[in-house]
């Protein structure tokens, strides 16, 4: 990467980092504007999250007819989903189909990790350096690095001494793992663990589930997708998508308008029963105030706890499985036979809240001074969410400032799209945007379309630099926090707050409410990209 190169026109218009749902659509959309785009992807295949997360039972918890692109009516019509909730292999084939169908592969460089992205203030270009030491210059960078892509691996003492294999759910071996006849420990009880545990339990000789925080999970009730149902949605796809976009989470959670406290105990029970039986995310929308009012929230929490008592036969295990924190404050999970798994004789629940994991040993792990002997350990310990993938790249903006330093007290971005001091660097579903509180595919499409519109507007104004103003960014973050504080979300130690990673600043990262966010973005555009500074390279403004 020579400084000489940066004095000239950049080699590329846009570098996109990541070839998951975000990167693939960004490539298609921006290439459609006639821009020269290249995607760098660390994996040896496309798919992002769905390339890496191959653990047993991995599937999406948004219904397949919704968790798919809406940008191409032809694609919507030709692809057939087979289940209510698509499995990881099916989503990965879908994304491979998208890559082929839109001839995306010729601009995707696989097996290439971006190590650094450095802004050159003289040329107004980004210098991108990849793991193989190559460099390329681009005018714009789109970080399509995913919200849940940097695995969180707690550094337990003695980890190197463990003699068996260690797996992370987010980096699962492609050839799969056969746990037959093995003693296995799973660390964690979040969404990934809850999907994997029932399947590992069926194979393993013995499974120890190491639980720090009990999780609320409701039955997914996955099933084959009825062809008639699929045809019905396909016949009205545009209206179906529009309807989803009107929902807080850009997905049909079938939220009811009624407060849980207005309903009688019998009526509440009936609603919860119905939704439990129907399965899936609708349970979280049983009443309108579950995440607003602690008393309302407690009714859902009590209901799930009562179900655990009904399912789990050993009363002591049932008690330990009962969550005590605010219901759905951490992401609500959807399972297939999770609580039933604890009725199996080969499954033991270990409370690592009371007795934290002290160390890994050559033959297992130690908690509460006692050694649990196992042959394999599965880390289902989640991700350094929303900021992890970005902070692992050496991103430097104006004056050589590192993004890691700019975000030392927590991520700061205007609309979750751009960070002051980092011109022409777009974040897809970045912190401060609805992202993980929504159907990600809808949020990704909205962000990519915003970026495409922005680049078109820049071209027609003869500008080529755009940057978030600090004032607009500060005001936006204040608003994101105010919205979060009006809910119960900040009341538990979730990854939404970065609380799962030691030392990470406690900041509520996603923005609640897709429709409000989209309206705000529209307003920003109508007001001439309000809150953004636009200029020509070589004539850089000092942002407000
Ligand atoms: P999550 O939901 O972050 O779950 C991680 C789990 O690992 C959770 O139960 C954690 O307990 C546990 N954990 C993390 N560190 C430790 C240590 N040091 N000791 C014991 N237990 C630990 O990640 P997932 O992969 O399941 O799901 C991530 C998202 O992917 C999910 O929300 C969906 O959106 C898809 P804790 O709760 O922190 O006490």
């Amino acid at each position: 990467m020579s400084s000489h190169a940066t004095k000239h026109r950049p080699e590329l218009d846009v570098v996109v980092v990541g070839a998951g749902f975000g990167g693939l659509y960004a490539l298609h959309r921006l290439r459609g504007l006639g821009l020269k785009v290249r995607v760098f992807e660390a994996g040896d295949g496309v798919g992002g999250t769905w390339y890496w997360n191959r653990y047993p039972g991995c599937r999406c918890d948004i219904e397949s007819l919704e968790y798919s692109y809406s940008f191409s009516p032809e694609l919507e019509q030709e692809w057939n989903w087979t289940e209510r909730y698509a499995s990881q292999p099916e989503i990965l084939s879908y994304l491979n189909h998208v890559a082929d169908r839109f001839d995306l592969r010729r601009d995707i460089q696989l097996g290439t990790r971006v190590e650094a992205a450095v802004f050159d203030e003289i040329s107004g270009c980004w210098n991108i350096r990849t793991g193989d030491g190559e460099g390329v210059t681009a005018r714009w960078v789109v970080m399509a690095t995913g919200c849940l892509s940097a695995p969180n691996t707690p550094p337990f003492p003695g980890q190197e001494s463990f003699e068996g294999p260690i797996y992370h759910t987010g980096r699962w071996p492609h050839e799969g793992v056969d746990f037959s006849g093995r003693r296995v420990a799973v660390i964690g009880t979040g969404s990934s663990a809850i999907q994997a545990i029932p399947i590992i339990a069926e194979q393993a000789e013995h499974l120890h589930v190491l639980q720090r925080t009990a999780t609320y999970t409701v039955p997914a009730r996955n099933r084959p997708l009825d062809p008639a149902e699929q045809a019905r949605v396909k016949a009205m796809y545009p209206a179906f998508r529009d309807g989803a976009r009107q929902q807080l989470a850009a997905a049909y959670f079938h939220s009811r308008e009624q407060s849980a406290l207005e309903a009688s105990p019998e009526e509440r029970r009936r609603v919860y029963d119905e939704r439990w039986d129907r399965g899936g995310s609708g349970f979280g929308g049983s009443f309108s105030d579950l995440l607003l009012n602690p008393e309302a929230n407690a009714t859902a929490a009590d209901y799930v706890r009562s179900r655990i008592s009904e399912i789990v036969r050993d009363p002591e295990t049932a008690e330990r499985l009962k969550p005590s924190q605010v219901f759905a404050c951490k992401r609500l999970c959807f399972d297939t036979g999770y609580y039933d798994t604890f009725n199996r004789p080969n499954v033991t629940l270990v409370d690592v809240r009371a007795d934290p994991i002290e160390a890994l040993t050559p033959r297992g792990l130690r908690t509460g001074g006692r050694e649990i002997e196992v042959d394999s350990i599965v880390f289902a310990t989640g991700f350094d969410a929303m900021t992890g993938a970005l902070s692992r790249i050496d991103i430097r903006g104006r004056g050589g400032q590192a993004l890691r330093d700019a975000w030392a007290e927590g991520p700061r971005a205007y609309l979750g799209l751009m960070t002051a001091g980092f011109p022409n660097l777009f974040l897809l579903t970045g912190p401060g945007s609805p992202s993980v509180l929504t159907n990600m595919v809808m949020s990704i499409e909205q962000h990519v379309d915003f970026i495409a519109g922005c680049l078109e507007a820049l071209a027609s104004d003869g500008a080529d630099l755009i940057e978030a103003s600090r004032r607009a960014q500060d005001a936006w973050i204040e608003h994101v926090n105010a919205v979060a504080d009006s809910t119960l979300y900040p009341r538990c130690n979730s990854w939404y707050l970065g609380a799962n990673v030691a030392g990470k600043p406690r900041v509520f990262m996603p923005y609640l409410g897709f429709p409000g966010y989209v309206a705000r973005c529209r307003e920003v555009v109508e007001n001439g990209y309000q809150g953004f500074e636009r200029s020509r390279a070589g004539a850089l403004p000092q942002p407000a």
Side-chain angles (χ1 to χ4, degrees), residues 314-506:
D314 173 46
E316 220 178 283
T317 305
E319 278 317 299
R320 273 190 273 135
L321 283 168
K322 290 181 184 172
S324 56
Q325 75 273 18
V326 173
F327 166 80
C329 174
K330 290 187 178 212
R331 191 177 168 110
L332 184 60
C333 299
F334 308 103
D335 68 275
T336 302
Y338 177 69
Y339 293 128
D340 294 283
T341 299
F342 294 91
N343 291 329
R344 298 177 65 101
N346 68 332
V347 176
T348 308
L349 182 65
V350 182
D351 180 356
V352 295
R353 166 78 60 199
D355 295 316
I357 299 167
E358 292 155 9
L360 266 55
T361 63
R363 284 184 307 190
L365 18 77
R366 206 172 57 237
T367 96
R370 172 176 84 95
E371 187 172 40
I372 301 172
E373 285 195 14
V374 291
D375 305 304
S376 316
I377 300 179
V378 175
F379 278 57
T381 44
F383 302 90
D384 182 353
M386 303 201 72
T387 57
L390 295 167
S391 63
R392 286 167 203 206
I393 300 173
D394 186 12
I395 300 173
R396 290 179 185 267
R398 283 182 192 286
Q401 190 191 23
L403 188 73
R404 287 184 199 123
D405 295 338
W407 286 12
E409 305 293 316
R412 303 193 71 75
Y414 178 42
L415 297 170
L417 271 162
M418 292 198 106
T419 290
F422 296 80
N424 285 5
L425 180 86
F426 290 102
L427 312 174
L428 271 196
T429 63
S433 74
S435 56
V436 293
L437 293 179
T438 64
N439 172 358
M440 286 299 292
V441 188
M442 292 291 103
S443 278
I444 282 167
E445 288 188 327
Q446 189 262 341
H447 262 191
V448 170
D449 290 343
F450 181 97
I451 294 166
C454 174
L455 297 190
E456 279 184 304
L458 280 177
S460 70
D461 290 358
D464 47 19
L465 283 175
I466 182 158
E467 175 177 3
S469 95
R470 224 167 274 279
R471 201 178 308 140
Q473 178 172 289
D474 290 347
W476 178 251
I477 292 167
E478 211 172 291
H479 173 62
V480 172
N481 288 333
V483 172
D485 288 343
S486 69
T487 72
L488 304 179
Y489 276 115
R491 299 201 185 186
C492 66
N493 291 324
S494 66
W495 58 256
Y496 298 137
L497 283 153
N500 62 325
V501 175
K504 193 165 170 174
R506 192 182 172 90

Side-chain angles (χ1 to χ4, degrees), residues 148 154 156 187-192 212-213 330-331 380-383 495:
L148 296 161
F156 298 114
I187 304 174
T189 52
S191 301
S192 304
R212 186 166 69 179
T213 309
K330 290 187 178 212
R331 191 177 168 110
T381 44
F383 302 90
W495 58 256

Side-chain angles (χ1 to χ4, degrees), residues 52-326:
W52 296 105
N53 284 268
R54 295 165 186 248
Y55 60 83
C58 180
R59 66 178 66 248
C60 188
D61 57 13
I62 305 260
E63 299 198 19
S64 51
L65 289 166
E66 298 190 52
Y67 192 80
S68 50
Y69 290 118
S70 70
F71 70 83
S72 160
E74 297 77 23
L75 174 66
E76 281 181 331
Q77 293 302 321
E78 75 200 12
W79 185 265
N80 290 316
W81 295 102
T82 64
E83 293 177 273
R84 179 183 183 189
Y85 295 103
S87 66
Q88 175 271 332
E90 189 165 32
I91 299 174
L92 190 58
S93 352
Y94 171 75
L95 289 171
N96 275 287
H97 168 73
V98 169
D100 292 330
R101 190 191 192 290
F102 297 98
D103 188 22
L104 301 178
R105 294 187 199 275
R106 65 186 155 91
D107 289 319
I108 302 175
Q109 198 169 312
L110 297 172
T112 310
R113 183 173 288 282
V114 169
E115 303 269 345
V118 179
F119 183 64
D120 181 323
E121 296 200 51
I122 313 250
S123 63
C125 296
W126 281 90
N127 295 323
I128 310 296
R129 196 182 66 240
T130 60
D132 52 18
E134 264 185 57
V136 70
T137 55
R139 180 66 72 199
W140 295 287
V141 179
V142 176
M143 302 303 292
T145 39
C147 291
L148 296 161
S149 47
N152 171 42
T153 310
F156 298 114
Q159 203 152 305
E160 343 57 61
S161 72
F162 179 62
E163 286 164 2
I166 295 180
Y167 307 101
H168 190 289
T169 46
R171 288 288 178 275
W172 204 257
H174 286 202
E175 62 282 11
V177 181
D178 182 3
F179 290 107
S180 308
R182 298 186 76 81
R183 297 162 304 168
V184 183
V186 171
I187 304 174
T189 52
S191 301
S192 304
I194 275 173
Q195 291 184 333
I197 282 167
I199 297 173
I200 297 177
E202 280 172 14
Q203 284 177 9
E205 181 190 306
H206 200 94
L207 172 63
H208 300 268
V209 175
L210 279 65
Q211 169 187 277
R212 186 166 69 179
T213 309
T215 310
Y216 293 97
T217 171
V218 302
R221 310 229 188 265
N222 185 37
R223 53 174 163 75
L225 202 51
D226 171 8
E229 181 185 349
Q230 183 149 206
R232 214 165 32 246
V233 170
K234 284 188 176 185
M236 51 163 288
Y237 238 141
F240 180 79
R241 302 287 196 181
D242 280 347
R245 289 190 192 97
Q246 304 313 313
Q247 313 294 315
L248 267 192
Y252 291 99
F253 283 120
H254 309 289
S255 294
R256 295 174 73 252
E257 293 295 311
Q258 191 186 18
S259 153
L261 304 178
E262 282 165 7
S264 66
E266 298 69 36
E267 193 182 356
R268 269 203 304 264
R269 177 85 205 185
R270 185 184 51 73
V271 171
Y272 287 138
D273 280 348
E274 253 173 33
R275 289 183 174 236
W276 182 275
D277 292 345
R278 199 186 308 153
S281 53
F283 190 86
S286 299
F287 294 99
S288 59
D289 49 357
L290 295 183
L291 271 159
L292 298 175
N293 181 317
E295 239 181 291
N297 188 280
T299 65
D302 286 342
Y303 178 85
V304 177
R305 287 192 285 260
S306 73
R307 285 296 195 155
I308 296 172
S309 287
E310 285 167 25
I311 301 169
V312 181
R313 288 196 289 272
D314 173 46
E316 220 178 283
T317 305
E319 278 317 299
R320 273 190 273 135
L321 283 168
K322 290 181 184 172
S324 56
Q325 75 273 18
V326 173

Side-chain angles (χ1 to χ4, degrees), residues 22-63:
L24 293 180
Y25 180 49
L27 170 59
H28 173 67
R29 184 76 168 81
L30 300 180
R31 214 168 59 177
L33 298 180
L35 296 170
K36 202 169 166 202
V37 185
R38 191 180 307 161
V39 178
F40 291 114
E41 164 57 56
D44 290 327
V46 301
T49 292
W50 301 105
Y51 173 85
W52 296 105
N53 284 268
R54 295 165 186 248
Y55 60 83
C58 180
R59 66 178 66 248
C60 188
D61 57 13
I62 305 260
E63 299 198 19

